[in-house]
């Protein structure tokens, strides 16, 4: 019908023109327009998945295409255009080894100079095709820097600014709170499962605070008193999603705290004893206290 045709044309438009150079602003604008026109309607599943809050296998959508962002990792020449050509050539070489897989490389501009590239692997959830897709994904992503120190590209799950999707849903939290909680949960879960992927840590403390402030307003409490057990009055879907989201956010924040401690241990900061003869290791709190003491001396 006409609506389905319009969504299809929007999907094609986004795939062709929505890119990292403009921080995927076209898809964000599409979501804002769709919610403004029909705030109580659920967004199409493909549009929600398009933002990539979490990879399809973590988002519970095994039929969704696998999309990988391609980035160049530089080269000895220092020439960004040569680095771009090397990265694209490397991906094309890997794709050529998998002719039976429905995969394509999409490139816009020059990598490292405002351009972007991604690989889209379509499999439809069919078991044999999905297995081939996973083998290709492994070939593109699973590299050992000790074995392949000169590989000119890196491939990671593609994310198209999922925080912008959450911000759009937040503006319509009266009708979209369940969808908002789900996207935040998926982002936190993916980050916890892939701690080495820094790009997975897109849920910021500010976004988390704003989401739970919306929940608090619905529960009639202050944000510090949000309770997963209390649920969301009048919203069964959000009530069901809230405990899972709270648990995922807690694990995500615990991971952040653990990584901060590990970073402090692995990168010690030094100060000197009072006799100025030998250094000792202190944490960031110790350095801060010494700065305060130095600043307040007369």
């Amino acid at each position: 019908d006409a609506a389905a045709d319009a969504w299809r044309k929007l999907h094609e438009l986004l795939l062709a023109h929505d890119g990292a150079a403009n921080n995927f602003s076209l898809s964000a604008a599409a979501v804002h327009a769709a919610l403004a026109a029909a705030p109580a309607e659920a967004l199409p599943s493909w549009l929600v998945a398009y933002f990539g809050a979490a990879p399809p296998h973590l988002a519970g959508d095994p039929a969704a295409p696998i999309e990988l962002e391609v980035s160049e990792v530089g080269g000895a020449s220092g020439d960004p255009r040569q680095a771009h050509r090397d990265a694209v050539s490397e991906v094309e070489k890997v794709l050529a080894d998998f002719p039976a897989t429905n995969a394509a490389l999409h490139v816009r501009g020059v990598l490292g100079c405002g351009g972007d590239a991604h690989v889209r692997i379509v499999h439809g959830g069919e078991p044999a095709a999905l297995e081939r897709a996973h083998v290709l994904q492994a070939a593109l992503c699973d590299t050992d820097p000790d074995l392949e120190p000169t590989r000119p590209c890196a491939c990671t799950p593609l994310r198209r600014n999922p925080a912008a999707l959450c911000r759009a849903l937040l503006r319509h939290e009266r009708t979209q709170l369940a969808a908002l909680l789900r996207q935040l949960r998926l982002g936190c879960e993916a980050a916890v499962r892939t701690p080495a992927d820094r790009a997975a840590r897109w849920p910021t403390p500010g976004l988390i605070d704003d989401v739970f402030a919306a929940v608090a307003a619905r529960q009639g409490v202050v944000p510090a008193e949000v309770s997963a057990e209390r649920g969301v009055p009048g919203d069964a879907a959000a009530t069901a999603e809230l405990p899972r989201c709270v648990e995922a956010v807690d694990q995500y924040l615990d991971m952040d705290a653990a990584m901060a401690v590990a970073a402090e241990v692995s990168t010690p900061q030094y100060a000197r004893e009072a006799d100025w003869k030998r250094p000792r290791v202190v944490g960031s709190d110790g350095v801060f206290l010494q700065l305060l003491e130095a600043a307040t001396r007369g």
Side-chain angles (χ1 to χ4, degrees):
D1 60 4
D5 188 54
W7 284 119
R8 180 185 58 79
K9 289 180 179 179
L10 173 63
H11 196 184
E12 293 174 352
L13 174 70
L14 294 179
L15 289 175
H17 301 290
D18 192 38
N22 59 15
N23 200 23
F24 303 103
S25 59
L26 290 180
S27 49
V31 167
H32 280 289
L35 291 175
E41 293 292 326
L43 293 170
S45 58
W46 70 261
L47 181 55
V48 174
Y50 175 87
F51 285 85
H57 68 284
L58 298 181
D61 189 2
I66 296 172
E67 295 184 296
L68 305 172
E69 179 181 7
V70 179
S71 57
E72 51 84 19
V73 295
S77 67
D79 180 355
R81 292 188 178 275
Q82 184 60 49
H84 164 87
R85 288 191 289 270
D86 291 343
V88 170
S89 176
E90 177 71 13
V91 172
E92 289 175 338
K93 182 170 62 176
V94 174
L95 293 181
D97 291 335
F98 296 85
T101 303
N102 185 6
L105 172 64
H106 302 270
V107 182
R108 278 186 292 254
V110 178
L111 294 175
C113 298
D116 61 85
H118 72 275
V119 174
R120 181 178 173 86
I121 310 171
V122 179
H123 52 79
E126 193 274 323
L130 182 58
E131 182 179 356
R132 291 194 297 269
H134 285 159
V135 173
L136 173 56
Q137 180 181 11
L140 289 167
C141 298
D142 296 345
T143 59
D144 185 339
D146 294 328
L147 299 177
E148 300 182 79
T150 60
R151 193 174 196 188
C153 67
C155 295
T156 55
L158 175 61
R159 296 176 181 85
R160 297 181 175 95
N161 198 0
L165 170 62
C166 288
R167 290 291 179 188
L169 293 169
L170 189 59
R171 292 182 61 180
H172 300 274
E173 55 84 18
R174 297 301 301 181
T175 56
Q176 300 292 337
L177 186 57
L180 172 61
L181 291 171
R182 182 175 186 272
Q183 292 305 301
L184 179 59
R185 170 177 64 81
L186 290 175
C188 291
E189 289 176 347
V192 170
R193 294 187 187 187
T194 56
D197 184 2
R198 300 290 297 180
R201 299 171 65 186
W202 60 263
T204 63
L207 176 61
I208 293 171
D209 288 346
D210 289 346
V211 170
F212 284 104
V215 174
R218 297 284 290 275
Q219 291 186 345
V221 299
V222 297
E225 296 178 356
V226 166
S227 169
E229 290 74 24
R230 187 178 291 119
V232 180
D235 192 332
T239 295
E241 185 63 50
L242 181 58
R244 302 176 67 191
C245 183
V246 169
E247 181 180 3
V249 169
D250 285 345
Q251 292 177 354
Y252 177 68
L253 296 178
D254 287 345
M255 178 190 73
D256 261 0
M259 293 180 72
V261 171
E264 184 172 309
V265 171
S266 62
T267 56
Q269 302 179 53
Y270 292 89
R272 290 189 176 275
E273 297 283 8
D275 59 11
W276 294 94
K277 291 182 179 179
R278 64 184 187 279
R280 64 184 173 90
V281 179
V282 297
S284 56
D285 289 344
V287 172
F288 180 66
L289 289 175
Q290 291 197 8
L291 288 173
L292 284 179
E293 291 174 2
T296 55
R297 286 175 185 157

